[in-house]
Amino acid sequence: MTENRSGGSGVFIGGLLVGAVVGVVSGLLAAPRSGRETRQFLKKSADALPELAEDLSTSVQLQADRLSETALRNWDKTLNRLQDAIAAGLEASQRERQVLEQQETRSVVEARPSGRESA
């Protein structure tokens, strides 16, 4: 389930980036600006790219940290359940061994010839 979420996040971010690029290109082609205005716009946009990349990097890092924390919590829960299951299995095994030993003891006692039999 977690794998689907993390894969979905990557697909979402990729789709977001592709959509942004398609939107910018479409806007440039349909814009009623002169070539000079378009170049100025592109220069301003290019100047803003480092800040955008930094914001995107920070966002991706935060998401990765959250996923990492979630994975650790899930791992801890899984380990606790596994320890509980092992403990329950050991207890059940010990109880079964005691029951079998008691049955063996009874069968040995019942199989012994009693000393009162007369011949």
Side-chain angles (χ1 to χ4, degrees):
M1 201 174 229
T2 305
E3 291 177 18
N4 291 340
R5 287 183 191 157
S6 63
S9 297
V11 170
F12 176 76
I13 291 173
L16 187 67
L17 291 175
V18 169
V21 169
V22 169
V24 167
V25 171
S26 299
L28 288 175
L29 294 175
R33 294 187 183 138
S34 68
R36 183 176 192 189
E37 289 174 341
T38 302
R39 284 190 297 277
Q40 287 176 345
F41 173 74
L42 288 175
K43 184 178 182 327
K44 288 179 184 178
S45 297
D47 291 342
L49 279 178
E51 185 179 330
L52 178 64
E54 185 178 335
D55 290 347
L56 181 61
S57 173
T58 301
S59 175
V60 168
Q61 184 62 43
L62 288 172
Q63 182 68 16
D65 289 345
R66 271 190 235 126
L67 289 173
S68 184
E69 290 170 6
T70 300
L72 284 174
R73 277 194 308 272
N74 288 341
W75 178 250
D76 288 341
K77 289 177 186 176
T78 301
L79 282 178
N80 288 336
R81 285 195 322 256
L82 182 59
Q83 288 171 340
D84 292 345
I86 289 172
L90 287 172
E91 288 176 22
S93 174
Q94 289 172 350
R95 282 193 306 267
E96 184 66 22
R97 189 175 76 212
Q98 288 173 350
V99 167
L100 290 174
E101 287 174 354
Q102 289 172 354
Q103 288 175 350
E104 286 178 8
T105 302
R106 276 189 226 131
S107 64
V108 167
V109 168
E110 291 172 358
R112 280 188 191 158
S114 62
R116 298 182 205 165
E117 290 182 18
S118 22

